[in-house]
Amino acid sequence: MKQFSIPAVLTVTLVTLVGISLGEGINLYWQDVIMFMGINIILSASLNLVNGYMGEFSCGHAGFMAVGAYVSSLVSVALFTQSSLFGAPILSSGWAVPLFPLCLLAGMAAAAISGLLVAIPSFKTRGDYLAIITIAASFIIKSAIENIKPIGGARGFMGMGQVTAAMSGTADLPWMMFWVFLGVVFTIWILRRFVSSTYGKGILAISQDEIAAEIMSVNTNKMKIVAFMLSSGLAGLAGGLFAHKLGYVNPGSFTILKSTECLVMVYLGGMGSLSGSVLSAVVYTLMLEILRFVIPWINDLLRWAQLIPTDYQVTQIWKWVLIPLLLVLLMQFRPEGIMGRHELADYFPWIKKFYRFR
Amino acid sequence: MALLEIKDMNHAFGGIEAVAGFNLHLEGGELNGLIGPNGAGKTTIFNLVSGFYQPTGGQIFFRNTNTAGLKPHRITGLGLARTFQNIRLWPEMTVLDNIRVAHHYSLGYGFLACIFRTPTFLRREREVTTAAYEILESLNLKDFAQELPKNLPYGLRRIVEIARALATRPALLMLDEPAAGLTSADLQGLIDVIRMIHQTFQVTIWMIEHQMQVVMDLCQYIQCIDFGVTIAEGTPDQIQNNPAVIKAYLGDDTFQCC
């Protein structure tokens, strides 16, 4: 029983999500919110590997996301669509569904390799200095993309809409919802297996005392390469999903602001807690959307209480006051984040009875 | 074949010669001490042997391998483990995980095996856990397996750190001031543990120590260094009565205190 509970829950969730999207039980807007939630989960969980588990401070996550977004988009556009860059499609559109994971994989691989841009300097540099290197790496990636004319430069690259259209041609399903869901499961699966093994705990050892790790036979350089490549590879996966979800990408989506969003989610959830990362990505995405409705209510309330001048409107701009304010309060009163260093099962031991993680 | 052979090892930090012409020959099976006043260069010698610093001169052979240029984790893999003067356990990992991670040198599987849970991975994880429990059991630490080191009393943390070093299956165990910060009540316990390890694990021990009770009680042969130079060596009795050692520790009697 125990070993089937997680696959069962996941299957039911997937079927429900696809089902209600198909039957328009939820409108397109909420479908988008759910997909962004998934992409944010991948981003925060993968960044947590470096910032939480390994104790480094990477603030260039968006750069790796950009590499994954562009490479997977280029591959899928070249394979399945008619484009000005690559000409006629290489494969018929029927291949779009079975081969789409390979496009994402290509993006992941490229992002993982670009992760070496940070991994190699990390051998000798740590802490604040490495943080600066990660920012520099993300700038390098972004300006490189901006200056490659064939892929659109600063204007961006499009054509992925046709790829998703090709998938819908095979079967009329909400494919991106499906892929995002698989991406999230894949991310959590791979990270959970990695950090719970003796091998993966080497990176925890590095975060807690790097010198002791090295002397206790942990190959710290190799572990850092593995951690950075895995983290940036998964960011690349998020990027690939993001690009195909939107149907276009441009370098402006992958600025320092995006990296900061990833950081915020990691710190909100708790360093070194996978369930925290999932939870915080959900909470953060929902918070952004819910404020859309809440702010007009606040406006009405304040107007009713005659606390604001009649010619003043509380607009959506206030979202960017309220969310940072929430972060200030969080850091003041619960600096370890929602979950701290713990997983859900540490707080609710009884749930362990219902599943077995493999 | 000697276990550890150090020939004319020198090390300079800028213009300061921290270690000058240090020699050592360990055949295997000894329990030797290294003493000297503060700043004499004892820990520098340990850092050189364990690979954190590269000696500016001389050679180190461990089990007939020249360790020059080897990274510390490779040297540990050859069978040399050490502890630290200030305890360097991983404070937020359980005692059991501390011991398990010290098996990295012999894990024998990589990232992909870890993700796909291959048979090798599952077998090695089981073996490592069993081995870790064996070490904890032999040092009477089994009850603390699930504790975090930061929650343990200081004396116990020392023992856990030694247990972690033993997890790398060393032929040579280097202890850097194991008695530092211990109460006199803990001291006798530590002496017993070190003697027990020396016998049951058949490991050569080379220790830096300030507590004369520990050194004189345990060590068979002692070297004393001062300002990086070996000023005396011999059995505990010879060292205790050596005028150069007394002078290094207590100062010259012509020295006038103001």
Side-chain angles (χ1 to χ4, degrees), chain A residues 17-32:
Chain A
L17 276 179
V18 171
I20 56 174
S21 311
L22 199 61
E24 294 188 7
I26 44 174
N27 57 26
L28 280 174
Y29 166 71
W30 281 104
Q31 289 180 30
D32 279 5

Side-chain angles (χ1 to χ4, degrees), chain B residues 10 14 31 60 70 75 122 126 128 146 169 172 177 193 222 249:
Chain B
N10 289 305
L31 205 171
I60 306 167
L70 288 185
I75 296 176
L122 294 170
R126 268 199 310 275
V128 163
Q146 299 302 334
R169 308 283 152 187
L172 172 62
E177 295 204 31
V193 166
I222 297 168
Y249 266 91

Side-chain angles (χ1 to χ4, degrees), chain A residues 264-342:
Chain A
V264 166
M265 285 188 283
V266 169
Y267 286 86
L268 182 69
M271 311 281 278
S273 164
L274 275 181
S275 31
S277 286
V278 175
L279 211 62
S280 69
V282 172
V283 168
Y284 182 78
T285 320
L286 279 181
M287 207 156 67
L288 283 180
E289 299 306 327
I290 285 171
L291 280 178
R292 239 184 252 282
F293 306 111
V294 171
I295 286 174
W297 295 343
I298 295 175
N299 184 45
D300 293 346
L301 188 74
L302 292 179
R303 168 100 0 107
W304 176 78
Q306 294 185 327
L307 285 171
I308 46 171
T310 43
D311 55 345
Y312 186 80
Q313 274 271 335
V314 179
T315 52
Q316 293 295 334
I317 302 289
W318 278 87
K319 189 160 77 175
W320 296 110
V321 175
L322 293 175
I323 287 173
L325 187 68
L326 199 85
L327 279 174
V328 172
L329 293 175
L330 182 84
M331 289 298 122
Q332 279 287 308
F333 296 106
R334 198 169 163 83
E336 71 272 31
I338 301 174
M339 302 291 287
R341 209 168 246 290
H342 305 282

Side-chain angles (χ1 to χ4, degrees), chain A residues 3 11 34 43-44 75 84 228 235 242-243 299 308 311 339 341:
Chain A
Q3 58 265 51
T11 317
I34 290 173
L43 285 174
S44 70
V75 172
S84 54
F228 275 112
F242 179 77
N299 184 45
I308 46 171
D311 55 345
M339 302 291 287
R341 209 168 246 290

Side-chain angles (χ1 to χ4, degrees), chain B residues 124-138:
Chain B
R124 283 300 298 149
E125 289 286 284
R126 268 199 310 275
E127 284 169 357
V128 163
T129 309
T130 317
Y133 268 116
E134 270 167 20
I135 287 170
L136 288 177
E137 186 122 39
S138 66

Side-chain angles (χ1 to χ4, degrees), chain A residues 189-190 193-194 196-199 201-202 205 208-209 211-219 221 223 226 230, chain B residues 50 52 72-73 76 82 84 88 90-93 97 100-102 104-105 109 114-115 117 121 125 164:
Chain A
W189 176 78
I190 204 168
R193 283 198 159 186
F194 180 62
S196 63
S197 66
T198 304
Y199 182 74
K201 276 177 186 153
Q208 294 175 23
D209 193 327
I211 287 175
E214 179 72 30
I215 208 75
M216 286 298 134
S217 80
V218 177
N219 188 344
N221 287 357
M223 291 311 295
V226 170
L230 179 57
Chain B
S50 56
F52 272 108
H73 73 264
T76 309
R82 68 169 287 190
F84 296 88
R88 304 192 86 142
W90 300 304
E92 305 270 354
M93 284 160 71
D97 278 345
R100 277 205 290 218
V101 170
H104 251 246
Y105 74 104
Y109 66 80
C114 160
I115 299 304
R117 296 283 198 255
F121 168 86
E125 289 286 284
R164 188 182 64 174

